[in-house]
Amino acid sequence: MAKGTRATAALDRAGIAHGLHAYDYAAEVDSKGVAAAQALGIAPARVFKTLMAWVDKQPLIAVIPSDQRLSLKKLAAQCGGKHAQMMDVPEAEKRSGYKVGGISPFAQQRPATVLFASAAQDHERIWINAGQRGLLLDIAPADALRFLQARCADLCE
């Protein structure tokens, strides 16, 4: 069994059930979430990727299905902002405390508002990065939303 991370330790402390799933991380692929889904034999729509963004200079975490693309226009609108842009890699790693390819929305160094794509509610369990490359956790969407004090929104193109 894979060892835990800061993210899984936080979920454990909160008493939130989750499973851990290790896979061979492939840095050279375009869609790391889709590659993780294929490696674990899970539908890509159930594997969610964590994206770090800015909306009018406010940090934001967007969690969307790995087989979809984030709409920056929708993200800004959902936050009542005018402009959204992706956070650059060094800033995302600094704020989250995780390496890109392993960023989890759970237990980030500098927490920010979290929005999940509405599709999260379509599944009994979803898979999200556990805080290190090559490790996903599965969790009930309602538990993830409650723990992160997040909400679902229309975020994808």
Side-chain angles (χ1 to χ4, degrees):
M1 178 120 215
K3 67 177 188 162
T5 65
R6 187 173 71 243
T8 60
L11 292 171
D12 289 341
R13 283 191 301 277
I16 296 176
H18 61 278
L20 282 179
H21 308 276
Y23 65 95
D24 290 329
Y25 177 78
E28 69 281 353
V29 298
D30 287 334
S31 178
K32 292 167 182 52
V34 171
Q38 291 170 341
L40 292 170
I42 303 164
R46 296 184 72 182
V47 175
F48 281 62
K49 56 188 172 184
T50 305
L51 303 172
M52 306 287 292
W54 297 104
V55 175
D56 294 344
K57 300 186 181 181
Q58 294 298 314
L60 192 101
I61 301 164
V63 184
I64 68 168
S66 64
D67 62 349
Q68 295 190 27
R69 292 179 50 94
L70 177 66
S71 167
L72 292 173
K73 185 175 183 176
K74 288 181 180 182
L75 180 65
Q78 288 291 340
C79 297
K82 294 182 180 175
H83 177 71
Q85 67 183 48
M86 296 303 297
M87 201 175 281
D88 65 15
V89 169
E91 183 69 18
E93 290 181 344
K94 179 181 174 184
R95 292 192 65 83
S96 69
Y98 300 115
K99 293 284 186 194
V100 167
I103 292 179
S104 178
F106 305 104
Q108 290 206 356
Q109 293 286 358
R110 297 171 72 184
T113 298
V114 181
L115 293 179
F116 274 72
S118 297
Q121 297 172 322
D122 297 342
H123 307 287
E124 187 176 319
R125 298 193 76 73
I126 57 174
W127 281 253
I128 304 172
N129 202 290
Q132 77 181 41
R133 293 171 178 165
L135 187 64
L136 297 182
L137 62 85
D138 70 272
I139 189 169
D143 289 340
L145 291 165
R146 186 172 48 256
F147 180 83
L148 293 165
Q149 299 178 346
R151 65 181 172 89
C152 285
D154 179 14
L155 300 177
C156 298
E157 293 180 349

